[in-house]
Amino acid sequence: MENQIVDGVEAANFSALNCIDLSNPDIQQSVSLLKQACLDCGFFYVVNHGISQEFMEEVFAQSKRMFSLPLSEKMKLLRNEKNRGYIPVFYELFDPVNQVQRDTKEGYDIGVEVAEDDPDAEKPYYGPNIWPQQDQLPRWRETMEKFHQQALEVARSVARIIALALGLDRDFFDKPEMLGEPFATLRLLHYEGQTDPSKGIFGAGAHSDFGLITLLATDDILGLQICNDKDAKPQKWEYVAPMKGSFIFTSFLWLIFYGAFIVNLGDLLERWSNCIFKSTLHEVLANDQDRYSIRLLLICIFCLMQGLQIAYFVYPSHDCLVECLPTFAKSYLNFNELFATFPSILCQTYLDQRNKDI
């Protein structure tokens, strides 16, 4: 049987990912599928997450309106020291070894809203967000705050299944020191222009996310690629099928879902599991089509759309101690001692170190 072609790419060049249905009453089936995905490649799909397709369309439309503003207006919203606000094209560099220029993307970061007079606003990465004027982008703040809250609930649902896959209590990540007051970042992304990996030009250079998990929602424009073995020579890169109104490649079958999230594990979860669960290298290419996405990072959630992405990153609380779970400590040679690949570290210290590398 011939391979199916999607946007000129054969099915053989797509990564087959497991699909987790949050409405599935068989929780053990979901745990099994998620655990296998975490062991294999650290990427999977999440469907029936509870966020309506109509609202997702509104979020993407509002994101596109912001990126359509004149550059002079966007620069008035430039990202501050709290990592909130507009990120211009050619600002971030993830892979200095292979990139000859910085990423050909622009973005916008939105964190948990903390009033300026709140004592927590003194903490790094906490504080008020930077918002466009209401008359400039009506309902923009309202839409993004609502999506931020809904995406965080999806992330918590996924984190509970991850906890079970790790052999922990279901509410392990619900503890106050974990996701009780998480550092969760919603990132709107817009990719444009033409990339050429052979010339070191990328929409987003190769990197792994440094949070817990990332949720990514996307339209039907190809771009995201993953590399399951970062140490391979040469590295093998495979596309992840986009999500909006298109086919998902899963277990060597093409299935159709609307409004699914692509979820990937971050480096913090790899540390917690002592490298048993994988935080996988990924990059973004562009082909002269505008691509938008939305991403939430829990430390880390992530979302994506036609040259436009919206990502949601979720991180644990600042004071959370990230250390190898005892059940994942490895035996050292023939001794009875156990060891962890990474030393214990406070989440805030870890974030400070990683942000210096970008």
Side-chain angles (χ1 to χ4, degrees), residues 101 104 191-197 201-203 285-289:
Q101 65 181 31
T104 62
Y191 297 89
E192 60 182 358
Q194 182 74 42
T195 58
D196 188 343
I201 302 173
F202 295 84
L285 307 183
N287 58 358
D288 278 334
Q289 291 178 288

Side-chain angles (χ1 to χ4, degrees), residues 320-333:
C320 176
L321 182 65
V322 181
E323 57 184 348
C324 172
L325 298 168
T327 53
F328 285 90
K330 300 174 183 177
S331 296
Y332 182 70
L333 297 179

Side-chain angles (χ1 to χ4, degrees), residues 92-104 195-207 227 229-237 281-285:
E92 293 182 326
L93 180 67
F94 288 121
D95 186 9
V97 173
N98 295 305
Q99 289 183 256
V100 299
Q101 65 181 31
R102 293 176 178 268
D103 294 349
T104 62
T195 58
D196 188 343
S198 67
K199 296 180 180 179
I201 302 173
F202 295 84
H207 66 286
C227 175
D229 186 357
K230 62 184 178 182
D231 297 320
K233 303 293 183 184
Q235 292 176 336
K236 179 183 178 182
W237 290 88
L281 277 181
H282 51 284
E283 64 186 17
V284 179
L285 307 183

Side-chain angles (χ1 to χ4, degrees), residues 192-261:
E192 60 182 358
Q194 182 74 42
T195 58
D196 188 343
S198 67
K199 296 180 180 179
I201 302 173
F202 295 84
H207 66 286
S208 58
D209 293 336
F210 49 88
L212 181 67
I213 57 173
T214 297
L215 301 187
L216 170 66
T218 178
D219 65 4
D220 54 3
I221 303 298
L222 279 177
L224 177 63
Q225 291 190 321
I226 65 175
C227 175
N228 285 335
D229 186 357
K230 62 184 178 182
D231 297 320
K233 303 293 183 184
Q235 292 176 336
K236 179 183 178 182
W237 290 88
E238 296 177 325
Y239 279 102
V240 173
M243 308 307 300
K244 182 193 172 193
S246 61
F247 290 99
I248 293 173
F249 188 47
T250 173
S251 301
F252 302 99
L253 295 173
W254 287 95
L255 305 176
I256 189 163
F257 285 103
Y258 289 85
F261 281 111

Side-chain angles (χ1 to χ4, degrees), residues 77-310:
L77 306 168
L78 193 63
R79 189 168 72 166
N80 60 20
E81 73 282 354
K82 298 286 188 176
N83 284 359
R84 285 156 161 74
Y86 175 67
I87 305 166
V89 177
F90 304 129
Y91 184 85
E92 293 182 326
L93 180 67
F94 288 121
D95 186 9
V97 173
N98 295 305
Q99 289 183 256
V100 299
Q101 65 181 31
R102 293 176 178 268
D103 294 349
T104 62
K105 70 176 189 296
E106 56 182 342
Y108 200 99
D109 282 352
I110 302 167
V112 176
E113 182 70 21
V114 179
E116 198 166 2
D117 58 355
D118 189 311
D120 282 344
E122 299 299 319
K123 298 178 181 178
Y125 314 115
Y126 277 81
N129 284 296
I130 298 175
W131 299 108
Q133 293 297 317
Q134 177 72 11
D135 58 352
Q136 188 177 41
L137 294 176
R139 303 189 315 280
W140 200 85
R141 174 175 179 173
E142 175 186 343
T143 299
M144 296 305 164
E145 287 187 321
K146 180 180 177 181
F147 180 75
H148 195 295
Q149 294 169 359
Q150 292 190 7
L152 181 54
E153 288 309 307
V154 177
R156 285 191 166 114
S157 295
V158 174
R160 292 177 190 122
I161 303 176
I162 290 175
L164 294 173
L166 288 167
L168 305 169
D169 291 338
R170 178 177 179 273
D171 62 352
F172 177 82
F173 291 110
D174 288 330
K175 297 175 183 177
E177 68 272 20
M178 295 290 183
L179 301 182
E181 296 181 359
F183 170 49
T185 298
L186 176 66
R187 171 171 287 193
L188 315 178
L189 290 164
H190 174 218
Y191 297 89
E192 60 182 358
Q194 182 74 42
T195 58
D196 188 343
S198 67
K199 296 180 180 179
I201 302 173
F202 295 84
H207 66 286
S208 58
D209 293 336
F210 49 88
L212 181 67
I213 57 173
T214 297
L215 301 187
L216 170 66
T218 178
D219 65 4
D220 54 3
I221 303 298
L222 279 177
L224 177 63
Q225 291 190 321
I226 65 175
C227 175
N228 285 335
D229 186 357
K230 62 184 178 182
D231 297 320
K233 303 293 183 184
Q235 292 176 336
K236 179 183 178 182
W237 290 88
E238 296 177 325
Y239 279 102
V240 173
M243 308 307 300
K244 182 193 172 193
S246 61
F247 290 99
I248 293 173
F249 188 47
T250 173
S251 301
F252 302 99
L253 295 173
W254 287 95
L255 305 176
I256 189 163
F257 285 103
Y258 289 85
F261 281 111
I262 298 168
V263 181
N264 66 277
L265 309 184
D267 296 343
L268 276 180
L269 192 55
E270 187 173 81
R271 293 177 75 113
W272 255 311
S273 69
N274 214 15
C275 298
I276 302 301
F277 283 6
K278 296 179 65 174
S279 176
T280 300
L281 277 181
H282 51 284
E283 64 186 17
V284 179
L285 307 183
N287 58 358
D288 278 334
Q289 291 178 288
D290 281 336
R291 180 173 182 269
Y292 298 87
S293 67
I294 311 170
R295 181 180 63 186
L296 177 69
L297 179 64
L298 185 81
I299 222 171
C300 156
I301 304 180
F302 180 18
C303 297
L304 174 71
M305 180 174 177
Q306 184 194 344
L308 173 70
Q309 292 182 335
I310 304 172

